[in-house]
Amino acid sequence: MSKLKIALIGAGRIGRVHAANLALLENAQLTVVSDAIEAAAIDLAGRYGVRATTDAAAAIASPDVDAVLVCSSTDTHAEMILAAVRAGKPVFCEKPVDMSADGIRAVLAGVAAAKGMLMVGFNRRFDPNFREVQNRIANGAIGNVELVSIISKDPAPPPVSYIARSGGLFRDMMIHDFDMARFLLGEEPVEVHAVGSSLVDPAIGEAGDVDTAAVLLRTASGKIATITNSRRATFGYDQRIEVHGAVGMLSVGNQHVTTVSEANTRGYTADVAQLFFLERYNEAYRAELAAFIDCATTGKAPSPAGEDGLRAQMLADAATESVRTGLPVRLTA
Amino acid sequence: MSKLKIALIGAGRIGRVHAANLALLENAQLTVVSDAIEAAAIDLAGRYGVRATTDAAAAIASPDVDAVLVCSSTDTHAEMILAAVRAGKPVFCEKPVDMSADGIRAVLAGVAAAKGMLMVGFNRRFDPNFREVQNRIANGAIGNVELVSIISKDPAPPPVSYIARSGGLFRDMMIHDFDMARFLLGEEPVEVHAVGSSLVDPAIGEAGDVDTAAVLLRTASGKIATITNSRRATFGYDQRIEVHGAVGMLSVGNQHVTTVSEANTRGYTADVAQLFFLERYNEAYRAELAAFIDCATTGKAPSPAGEDGLRAQMLADAATESVRTGLPVRLTA
Amino acid sequence: MSKLKIALIGAGRIGRVHAANLALLENAQLTVVSDAIEAAAIDLAGRYGVRATTDAAAAIASPDVDAVLVCSSTDTHAEMILAAVRAGKPVFCEKPVDMSADGIRAVLAGVAAAKGMLMVGFNRRFDPNFREVQNRIANGAIGNVELVSIISKDPAPPPVSYIARSGGLFRDMMIHDFDMARFLLGEEPVEVHAVGSSLVDPAIGEAGDVDTAAVLLRTASGKIATITNSRRATFGYDQRIEVHGAVGMLSVGNQHVTTVSEANTRGYTADVAQLFFLERYNEAYRAELAAFIDCATTGKAPSPAGEDGLRAQMLADAATESVRTGLPVRLTA
Amino acid sequence: MSKLKIALIGAGRIGRVHAANLALLENAQLTVVSDAIEAAAIDLAGRYGVRATTDAAAAIASPDVDAVLVCSSTDTHAEMILAAVRAGKPVFCEKPVDMSADGIRAVLAGVAAAKGMLMVGFNRRFDPNFREVQNRIANGAIGNVELVSIISKDPAPPPVSYIARSGGLFRDMMIHDFDMARFLLGEEPVEVHAVGSSLVDPAIGEAGDVDTAAVLLRTASGKIATITNSRRATFGYDQRIEVHGAVGMLSVGNQHVTTVSEANTRGYTADVAQLFFLERYNEAYRAELAAFIDCATTGKAPSPAGEDGLRAQMLADAATESVRTGLPVRLTA
């Protein structure tokens, strides 16, 4: 079988993750790395013996490229996606597709016009544990889903300078949870109510954002989801879900640094949760890339697709507005 | 030491629990049981060799009664409480003090006018696990409280006939969680947003109530609490809390029927959660009664007091209104 | 129904436990407390409004006594048991029936000659968790039992003065585990190999005993049990069992002081195990007494019976000898 | 930095694991694969673009080989190890070094004579969880080690034909646990008592082996270890350890297929333990290889070394003899 030839656009942290995972796949191979910073492109390309460039358009257009991974900065996503689909090449793009819902709509229109294939990087759907929960729901293990609870906390906040241009907690951090809620609810939320506070660092509040937040989602049929986020968790990267259905409940807890337990006069102590998202979602990133390669090779419809990127963004926008106005925001399903 | 002599008003299920717990205390003794149904009063009184009556007022006024436990139907609470405090006798009353916040206010005014002592039966505050969480918060174990999460699910819904006259899920069931949220937040909620659905039984919806609900609470300083309730949980009586603070997190899970784990080809299976509230809160009821007897004997201020009953009712009223209007409800701290 | 009238012989710690549990039963009542120390008898009897005596024989013989609980010192057990059965009264005796297997055999012969009923106080069989394990084994949940593992550790060693006259760790402490092993194996061990060390306190070794020990048991059909004991466990009273069968495994872990978990930079910390045997086996003591009263009332055969006391003692003797000789000891099934 | 060039002797299952892990290392590279079956060598070599041979001696002697991994059949280990060390090349050999302790002694003498470096493949020492336990013991976290408990059960027995030539359960399966016991005890066992039964499959007994076994080990200072093994575990590959020390206890449980928990009327069910040793010890194999490459590159002394292979074999021999004679076997520390 010939291998699918891949152009990687963006040689930053997440680009390096995908490059390493590509090297583990038998049905795909990296052929070119593009980055606006030439040294970064050269360094990463060198590790895998492929060519480097600063010309993303050329990389995408290259005849030895069958599919494209977009890991560059968000403001370039639209251009890269459209270049790829117009060249007839399947494209995977890290979230978000664009900083605004309207921007995403425009990209999706372009993808549709080109009859292109776009997969969006909500990697958590590929976590083996969360995926298993979704599989069991789909298989009827807990009956009709009634309540979804998602807890997501980062070990520590990013720099305030990052937060200031991030679009805010709901678009930058909780957007993963909005996608997960949709994945698990199996139905679109039609109402969003959010509360948010700046409790972790006053500078985050001064920058116009919140660092602690909770959201209620309701679907047309009355299913309810709660999401809580904090930019701080001393005990590790906190990533838990729970789904309560008519005949049962499914839950996933954290993965800890080791499974060692130490008992003494202070009690029984287990390790902190894994501290870093790349460690926690290590397998998810691998499975996500394999799924993209599979879709790109076989022509299967990708999931999550561009529409999923749009829907998550709409929920993030709604939550942001809800905090601003103190009122719930209604969406159409 | 002479024992505190107790009149028990109401010989129903919860009255019987208190009578049994009284028998375990060394510093108190039951002297009279009153119930509108004479046979019920006689039966319970007979178990402990004390006298029975249908005349609650006489029981409360009796010279061999030092303090009063009110476990009669909610519509009689106000009258019983006022009779007790006007007779100069400390009174414990099962929640709610009254079906409406205004009714509670009137009772509290009467209690205050009589310089009486009233303790309200939010038994969960006395659960050793929840109490330990509150103690550790008070001792600074997790720093400033930022997020409180309370999950409360009953194994199965009560009869629809009960629901129809219960005041609704928020006043009948979630009121315990509102009190717990206040207990753990250490600050009054100033905003309530609730969503509710009828997913368990359409008849509950037809009776004008919800059976599945989630609530967001926010305090003036920005602390956030989420509460989720369901009238159904196939895996037992689901009673969990989690408190996330600046430097740590405290959580309490369910108590299971046994601690046996069975491993086989289907996995590792632990027992369901304890199924019945009297079993789950067995120790809480004992500790609650002991606390009341202690306050009644020593003159210590009771907690939870009448004001706690009012505050929880106000939150339940606000949540009920929020579901009706689809809008958040603001309260003053 | 008339209540079974009970004489309690021995007003020490364990006698007080049984007296308190008797007060909770509806089908039995204490009528007399006997203790060699008059003040102890008077104090305990006074709590329950019954009479006190220093004359155990008279208490046992008394016409208002239907059954006898023997909680006096071990050297008096034989005499008390024989007095009871010869008076035609069912008798419950705390373990051990006697300090030597031959002594127990003599008592059992006396009980048999009198056609008496004797139940022996291996309370752990009545722990709801261990009992559930045994029930599931009996119901075939895990198929044929292959491996039993029992871990038993005390939080701290008793005084060396106690150890010196205790008969040694195997007879004083591990005897409970020998009984549990028999309860779970469902077949008599025919080989005992023990190793023991003095690691906790050299004074225990100087007193001729061990404080840390492990035992292998093998039955005729090849089932294997391991038992480990330590006189020290900083994390609480360690009481665990695990039973591996042909098609599954059952296990019971420790009960902790609370179910609170605290997560912070040091990890996730649960409470220590309950520290005291009376707390850990609180429910077991209640169920044990109820079972004795039930057998004494209905004539059902008691379990554990005198033969169980003898078998456990034989295993303890064999383990003691095995440590002394460094060789396994064979027993007949 | 130039990469360490590796010859892989043996292209079977475990050889393929090491080849895949080699490809992930930056400081080493495979250069040749040797296997007695030419097609196997060619297939594996082809995956990594290196050359294949059936001539192991030539591969070891090749100038483009710096170090050797021996993954061939046990009867060839001695020859391969000696060829490598005599060629001045560090060698890693899968356990066991030889089928007999005397055979191992002869190899170790040859290694010493050549001043060679030999690391033995007890991969479990490199499991991150077990290693962390050993690290904490070394750091004094639990004080003096008093009791070690190791549980090791395979999901299902190998074919009886394999068992018949395996050397028996103690040499084939429990040898890993003997090494782990030594790793954790930090002191040589001086006494071994073993019991074994054929409970899983009578054919195993007919082949002269046991399938269910327990062993007691005692060190000179009185530390005790228990090991239990079964060739069958319906709930997955059971791999647990527990170390009890003077001031605390460390334990490691199983890793489950996912972290999903499903709660319903039957209870709370977690997944089975990971079923396959290559999955369970995936990270251990990677860390083991990295450690060998590090020692081979820097000249550090390897651990586990040849002496560790000998000691584990001596314990396995002693356990085998103990089951045969029914008596404990003494060893010198």
Side-chain angles (χ1 to χ4, degrees):
Chain A
M1 190 183 69
S2 76
K3 295 184 170 194
L4 196 76
K5 298 185 197 74
I6 305 292
L8 174 62
I9 313 301
R13 184 167 64 178
I14 199 68
R16 290 197 299 270
V17 169
H18 290 306
N21 288 334
L22 258 180
L24 300 174
L25 291 176
E26 302 207 340
N27 57 350
Q29 65 182 83
L30 188 63
T31 51
V32 56
V33 173
S34 167
D35 197 282
I37 300 166
E38 186 168 23
I42 288 172
D43 176 72
L44 184 57
R47 289 168 179 261
Y48 299 96
V50 302
R51 73 178 192 279
T53 179
T54 58
D55 184 345
I60 291 169
S62 173
D64 68 350
V65 164
D66 301 320
V68 180
L69 303 182
V70 179
C71 307
S72 48
S73 61
T74 299
D75 58 351
T76 67
H77 286 183
E79 182 186 345
M80 299 298 151
I81 290 168
L82 292 174
V85 294
R86 284 166 188 165
K89 298 180 182 180
V91 59
F92 168 91
C93 184
E94 282 298 325
K95 67 94 198 164
V97 168
D98 192 82
M99 288 297 277
S100 77
D102 280 347
I104 298 175
R105 285 190 188 92
V107 172
L108 299 194
V111 171
K115 299 192 195 307
M117 183 277 239
L118 167 63
M119 177 167 160
V120 176
F122 286 121
N123 59 298
R124 294 183 195 175
R125 290 195 182 202
F126 296 92
D127 173 73
N129 307 297
F130 297 159
R131 179 152 287 259
E132 175 69 12
V133 167
Q134 198 272 342
N135 284 343
R136 293 198 201 176
I137 292 170
N139 292 339
I142 58 168
N144 189 47
V145 168
E146 297 175 350
L147 285 165
V148 169
S149 167
I150 301 173
I151 293 167
S152 232
K153 298 178 201 143
D154 285 347
V160 173
S161 59
Y162 170 86
I163 282 179
R165 55 189 166 71
S166 70
L169 178 142
F170 298 105
R171 294 187 185 99
D172 176 57
M173 178 175 172
M174 200 183 281
I175 195 162
H176 281 288
D177 307 306
F178 288 125
D179 183 65
M180 184 57 63
R182 293 181 62 248
F183 186 54
L184 299 173
L185 285 167
E187 188 184 338
E188 294 302 332
V190 294
E191 183 182 313
V192 179
H193 187 84
V195 295
S197 305
S198 173
L199 301 174
V200 173
D201 184 349
I204 293 174
E206 285 157 20
D209 199 6
V210 297
D211 49 40
T212 307
V215 168
L216 288 184
L217 303 176
R218 195 174 51 79
T219 71
S221 76
K223 297 175 186 183
I224 297 169
T226 65
I227 303 173
T228 47
N229 271 192
S230 172
R231 288 284 195 186
R232 166 169 65 191
T234 56
F235 45 89
Y237 184 39
D238 196 12
Q239 296 281 297
R240 290 174 287 156
I241 64 167
E242 188 167 292
V243 186
H244 177 88
V247 299
M249 180 171 72
L250 291 161
S251 55
V252 173
N254 285 318
Q255 295 178 185
H256 297 257
V257 172
T258 73
T259 60
V260 175
S261 169
E262 184 167 341
N264 52 38
T265 54
R266 290 181 297 279
Y268 286 66
T269 302
D271 274 2
V272 294
Q274 290 177 334
L275 290 158
F276 193 40
F277 78 95
L278 290 179
E279 182 185 19
R280 170 64 185 85
Y281 289 116
N282 181 29
E283 287 187 62
Y285 279 110
R286 281 206 291 257
E288 177 187 60
L289 184 65
F292 171 69
I293 300 298
D294 183 46
C295 293
T297 304
T298 63
K300 275 185 217 160
S303 174
E307 179 72 12
D308 296 295
L310 176 59
R311 283 284 175 179
Q313 188 73 19
M314 288 165 64
L315 291 170
D317 289 349
T320 305
E321 186 188 341
S322 177
V323 166
R324 189 179 57 78
T325 61
L327 295 173
V329 174
R330 267 77 187 182
L331 295 94
T332 51
Chain B
M1 189 184 70
S2 75
K3 295 185 171 193
L4 197 75
K5 298 186 196 72
I6 306 292
L8 174 63
I9 312 301
R13 184 167 64 176
I14 200 68
R16 290 196 298 270
V17 169
H18 290 306
N21 288 334
L22 258 180
L24 300 174
L25 291 176
E26 302 206 342
N27 58 349
Q29 65 182 82
L30 188 62
T31 51
V32 56
V33 174
S34 166
D35 199 282
I37 300 168
E38 185 168 23
I42 290 173
D43 177 71
L44 184 57
R47 288 169 179 261
Y48 299 97
V50 301
R51 71 178 193 279
T53 179
T54 58
D55 184 345
I60 292 170
S62 173
D64 68 349
V65 164
D66 299 322
V68 179
L69 304 182
V70 180
C71 306
S72 48
S73 63
T74 300
D75 57 352
T76 67
H77 286 182
E79 182 187 344
M80 299 299 149
I81 291 169
L82 293 174
V85 295
R86 285 168 188 162
K89 298 180 181 180
V91 59
F92 169 89
C93 184
E94 282 299 324
K95 68 93 197 165
V97 167
D98 191 85
M99 288 297 278
S100 76
D102 280 346
I104 298 174
R105 284 188 189 96
V107 172
L108 299 194
V111 172
K115 300 192 194 307
M117 184 274 239
L118 168 63
M119 178 166 160
V120 175
F122 286 122
N123 60 298
R124 293 182 194 175
R125 289 195 183 202
F126 295 93
D127 174 71
N129 308 296
F130 297 160
R131 179 152 288 257
E132 176 68 12
V133 167
Q134 198 272 343
N135 284 342
R136 293 198 200 177
I137 293 171
N139 292 337
I142 59 168
N144 189 46
V145 167
E146 296 173 352
L147 286 165
V148 169
S149 167
I150 301 174
I151 294 167
S152 232
K153 297 177 202 143
D154 285 346
V160 173
S161 59
Y162 170 86
I163 283 179
R165 57 189 163 75
S166 70
L169 178 141
F170 298 105
R171 294 187 185 101
D172 175 58
M173 178 176 172
M174 199 183 280
I175 195 163
H176 282 289
D177 306 306
F178 287 124
D179 182 65
M180 184 57 62
R182 293 180 62 248
F183 185 56
L184 299 173
L185 285 167
E187 189 184 338
E188 294 301 331
V190 295
E191 183 182 314
V192 179
H193 186 83
V195 295
S197 305
S198 172
L199 301 174
V200 173
D201 184 350
I204 294 174
E206 287 156 21
D209 199 6
V210 297
D211 50 40
T212 307
V215 168
L216 288 184
L217 303 176
R218 195 174 52 78
T219 70
S221 76
K223 298 175 185 183
I224 296 169
T226 65
I227 302 173
T228 46
N229 273 192
S230 172
R231 289 283 195 185
R232 166 168 67 191
T234 57
F235 45 88
Y237 184 41
D238 197 11
Q239 297 282 296
R240 290 174 286 155
I241 64 168
E242 188 166 292
V243 185
H244 176 87
V247 298
M249 181 171 70
L250 291 160
S251 55
V252 173
N254 285 318
Q255 295 178 184
H256 297 257
V257 172
T258 72
T259 60
V260 175
S261 168
E262 183 167 342
N264 52 38
T265 54
R266 291 181 296 281
Y268 286 65
T269 302
D271 275 2
V272 293
Q274 291 177 333
L275 290 159
F276 193 40
F277 77 96
L278 289 179
E279 183 185 18
R280 170 63 184 86
Y281 289 117
N282 181 28
E283 288 188 61
Y285 279 110
R286 281 206 291 258
E288 177 186 59
L289 184 64
F292 171 67
I293 299 298
D294 182 45
C295 291
T297 304
T298 63
K300 275 184 217 160
S303 173
E307 179 72 15
D308 296 296
L310 176 60
R311 283 283 175 180
Q313 187 73 18
M314 289 165 63
L315 292 169
D317 289 348
T320 305
E321 185 188 341
S322 177
V323 167
R324 189 179 57 79
T325 61
L327 296 172
V329 174
R330 268 77 186 182
L331 295 93
T332 51
Chain C
M1 189 182 72
S2 73
K3 296 185 170 192
L4 197 75
K5 298 184 197 74
I6 306 292
L8 173 62
I9 312 301
R13 184 166 65 178
I14 199 69
R16 289 196 299 270
V17 169
H18 289 305
N21 288 335
L22 258 180
L24 300 173
L25 291 177
E26 303 206 341
N27 58 350
Q29 65 182 82
L30 187 62
T31 50
V32 55
V33 174
S34 166
D35 198 282
I37 300 167
E38 186 169 22
I42 289 172
D43 177 70
L44 185 56
R47 288 168 179 262
Y48 299 97
V50 301
R51 72 178 192 279
T53 180
T54 57
D55 185 345
I60 292 169
S62 173
D64 69 348
V65 164
D66 300 322
V68 179
L69 303 182
V70 181
C71 306
S72 47
S73 63
T74 299
D75 58 352
T76 67
H77 285 183
E79 183 187 344
M80 298 300 149
I81 291 169
L82 293 174
V85 295
R86 285 168 187 163
K89 297 180 182 180
V91 59
F92 168 90
C93 184
E94 282 298 324
K95 68 94 200 164
V97 167
D98 191 84
M99 289 295 278
S100 77
D102 280 347
I104 299 174
R105 284 188 189 95
V107 172
L108 299 195
V111 171
K115 300 193 194 307
M117 184 274 240
L118 168 64
M119 178 167 160
V120 176
F122 287 121
N123 59 298
R124 294 182 194 176
R125 289 194 182 204
F126 295 92
D127 174 71
N129 308 296
F130 296 160
R131 179 152 288 258
E132 176 68 12
V133 166
Q134 197 272 342
N135 284 343
R136 294 200 200 175
I137 293 170
N139 293 337
I142 59 168
N144 189 46
V145 168
E146 296 174 352
L147 285 165
V148 169
S149 167
I150 300 173
I151 294 167
S152 233
K153 297 176 203 146
D154 285 346
V160 172
S161 58
Y162 169 86
I163 283 178
R165 56 190 165 73
S166 69
L169 178 141
F170 298 105
R171 294 186 186 101
D172 176 59
M173 179 176 171
M174 199 182 281
I175 194 162
H176 282 287
D177 307 305
F178 288 125
D179 182 65
M180 184 57 63
R182 292 180 61 249
F183 186 56
L184 299 173
L185 285 167
E187 187 184 338
E188 295 300 332
V190 296
E191 183 182 313
V192 179
H193 186 82
V195 295
S197 304
S198 173
L199 300 174
V200 173
D201 184 350
I204 294 174
E206 287 156 20
D209 199 7
V210 296
D211 49 40
T212 306
V215 167
L216 287 184
L217 303 176
R218 194 174 51 78
T219 70
S221 76
K223 297 175 185 182
I224 296 168
T226 65
I227 303 172
T228 46
N229 272 193
S230 172
R231 289 284 196 184
R232 166 168 64 191
T234 57
F235 44 89
Y237 184 41
D238 197 10
Q239 297 281 297
R240 290 174 286 155
I241 64 168
E242 187 167 292
V243 186
H244 176 87
V247 298
M249 180 171 70
L250 291 161
S251 55
V252 173
N254 285 318
Q255 296 178 185
H256 297 256
V257 173
T258 73
T259 60
V260 175
S261 169
E262 183 167 342
N264 52 37
T265 53
R266 291 181 296 280
Y268 286 65
T269 302
D271 274 2
V272 294
Q274 291 176 333
L275 289 159
F276 193 40
F277 77 95
L278 290 179
E279 183 184 18
R280 170 65 184 84
Y281 289 116
N282 181 28
E283 287 187 62
Y285 279 110
R286 282 206 290 257
E288 176 187 59
L289 184 63
F292 171 67
I293 299 299
D294 183 45
C295 291
T297 304
T298 63
K300 274 185 217 159
S303 174
E307 180 72 14
D308 296 294
L310 176 60
R311 283 284 175 179
Q313 187 74 18
M314 288 165 64
L315 292 169
D317 288 349
T320 306
E321 185 188 341
S322 176
V323 167
R324 190 178 58 79
T325 61
L327 295 173
V329 174
R330 267 76 187 182
L331 296 93
T332 51
Chain D
M1 190 185 70
S2 75
K3 296 185 169 192
L4 197 76
K5 298 184 196 75
I6 306 292
L8 174 61
I9 312 302
R13 184 168 64 178
I14 199 68
R16 290 197 298 271
V17 169
H18 290 306
N21 288 334
L22 258 180
L24 300 174
L25 291 176
E26 303 206 339
N27 58 351
Q29 64 181 84
L30 188 62
T31 51
V32 55
V33 174
S34 165
D35 197 283
I37 300 166
E38 186 168 23
I42 289 172
D43 176 72
L44 184 58
R47 288 168 179 261
Y48 300 96
V50 302
R51 73 179 192 278
T53 179
T54 58
D55 185 346
I60 291 168
S62 172
D64 69 350
V65 163
D66 300 320
V68 179
L69 302 182
V70 180
C71 307
S72 48
S73 62
T74 299
D75 59 351
T76 67
H77 285 182
E79 183 187 344
M80 298 301 151
I81 291 168
L82 293 174
V85 295
R86 284 166 188 164
K89 298 180 181 180
V91 60
F92 168 90
C93 184
E94 281 299 324
K95 68 93 198 166
V97 168
D98 192 83
M99 288 296 278
S100 76
D102 281 346
I104 299 174
R105 285 189 188 96
V107 171
L108 299 194
V111 172
K115 299 191 195 309
M117 184 275 239
L118 168 63
M119 178 167 159
V120 176
F122 286 121
N123 60 298
R124 294 182 194 177
R125 290 194 182 205
F126 296 93
D127 173 72
N129 307 296
F130 297 160
R131 179 152 288 259
E132 176 68 12
V133 166
Q134 198 272 342
N135 284 342
R136 293 199 200 175
I137 293 170
N139 292 338
I142 59 168
N144 189 47
V145 167
E146 296 174 350
L147 286 165
V148 169
S149 167
I150 301 173
I151 294 167
S152 231
K153 297 177 203 145
D154 284 347
V160 173
S161 59
Y162 170 86
I163 283 179
R165 57 191 164 72
S166 70
L169 177 142
F170 299 104
R171 294 187 186 99
D172 176 58
M173 178 176 173
M174 199 182 281
I175 195 161
H176 282 288
D177 306 305
F178 288 125
D179 182 65
M180 184 57 63
R182 293 181 62 250
F183 186 54
L184 299 174
L185 285 167
E187 188 184 337
E188 294 302 332
V190 294
E191 183 182 313
V192 179
H193 186 82
V195 295
S197 305
S198 172
L199 301 174
V200 173
D201 184 348
I204 294 174
E206 286 156 21
D209 199 6
V210 296
D211 49 40
T212 306
V215 168
L216 287 184
L217 302 176
R218 195 173 52 79
T219 71
S221 76
K223 297 175 186 183
I224 297 169
T226 65
I227 302 172
T228 46
N229 271 193
S230 171
R231 288 285 195 185
R232 166 168 66 190
T234 56
F235 45 88
Y237 185 41
D238 196 11
Q239 297 281 296
R240 290 173 286 156
I241 64 167
E242 187 166 291
V243 186
H244 176 89
V247 299
M249 181 171 71
L250 291 160
S251 56
V252 173
N254 286 318
Q255 294 178 186
H256 296 257
V257 172
T258 73
T259 61
V260 175
S261 169
E262 183 168 342
N264 53 36
T265 54
R266 291 182 297 281
Y268 286 66
T269 302
D271 274 2
V272 293
Q274 290 176 335
L275 289 158
F276 193 41
F277 78 95
L278 289 179
E279 183 185 19
R280 171 63 184 84
Y281 289 116
N282 182 28
E283 287 187 63
Y285 278 111
R286 281 207 290 257
E288 177 187 60
L289 185 64
F292 171 68
I293 300 299
D294 182 46
C295 291
T297 304
T298 63
K300 274 184 218 160
S303 174
E307 179 72 14
D308 296 295
L310 175 60
R311 282 284 175 179
Q313 187 73 18
M314 288 165 65
L315 292 170
D317 289 348
T320 306
E321 185 189 341
S322 176
V323 167
R324 189 179 57 79
T325 62
L327 296 173
V329 174
R330 267 77 187 184
L331 295 94
T332 51

